[in-house]
Amino acid sequence: MAELGRLRASIDNMDAALVHLLAERFKITQQVGVLKAAHDLPAADPLREAEQIRRLRGLAEESHLDPEFAEKFLAFIVSEVVRHHEAIRRDLPPEC
């Protein structure tokens, strides 16, 4: 049981790290959203997304992580980012 507790503590630490990394990622993508809105660029960038999927699938394979899972995870994150970018565009003052 001590081993189970140790493993669960490691999982908890990894979950905390993931949350912090996602928070940092979203801070940066918020900045991207402001730039896109200011320069009248679309919220979504399908070419960039396809490149990222290819790159992430490769990283997943190298790390022995299911590439399908990695792609689904990225797709979820990207959909949230696009949603945020659309909200930024809606809320941006007209003079920007």
Side-chain angles (χ1 to χ4, degrees), residues 44-54:
D45 184 344
L47 289 177
R48 166 83 173 148
E49 292 166 24
E51 289 171 8
Q52 287 297 87
I53 288 169
R54 278 192 300 278

Side-chain angles (χ1 to χ4, degrees), residues 5 8 12 17 29 33-35 38 44 55 62 68 72 80-81 85:
R8 285 181 172 167
D12 292 349
T29 60
V34 170
L35 286 172
R55 187 178 74 80
E62 290 172 13
E68 291 294 318
K72 288 176 188 176
E80 277 298 295
V81 168
H85 288 184

Side-chain angles (χ1 to χ4, degrees), residues 58-91:
L59 290 170
E61 288 173 5
E62 290 172 13
S63 301
H64 306 287
L65 179 68
D66 180 3
E68 291 294 318
F69 170 77
E71 185 173 341
K72 288 176 188 176
F73 184 70
L74 181 64
F76 176 74
I77 291 171
V78 168
S79 69
E80 277 298 295
V81 168
V82 169
R83 189 176 66 80
H84 290 184
H85 288 184
E86 289 167 347
I88 289 168
R89 180 178 298 274
R90 272 192 318 272
D91 298 340

Side-chain angles (χ1 to χ4, degrees), residues 24-60:
E24 287 301 312
R25 188 185 196 287
F26 275 89
K27 285 178 189 172
I28 296 166
T29 60
Q30 290 292 102
Q31 295 172 20
V32 170
V34 170
L35 286 172
K36 283 182 170 185
H39 294 281
D40 200 31
L41 296 171
D45 184 344
L47 289 177
R48 166 83 173 148
E49 292 166 24
E51 289 171 8
Q52 287 297 87
I53 288 169
R54 278 192 300 278
R55 187 178 74 80
L56 195 66
R57 286 182 70 93
L59 290 170

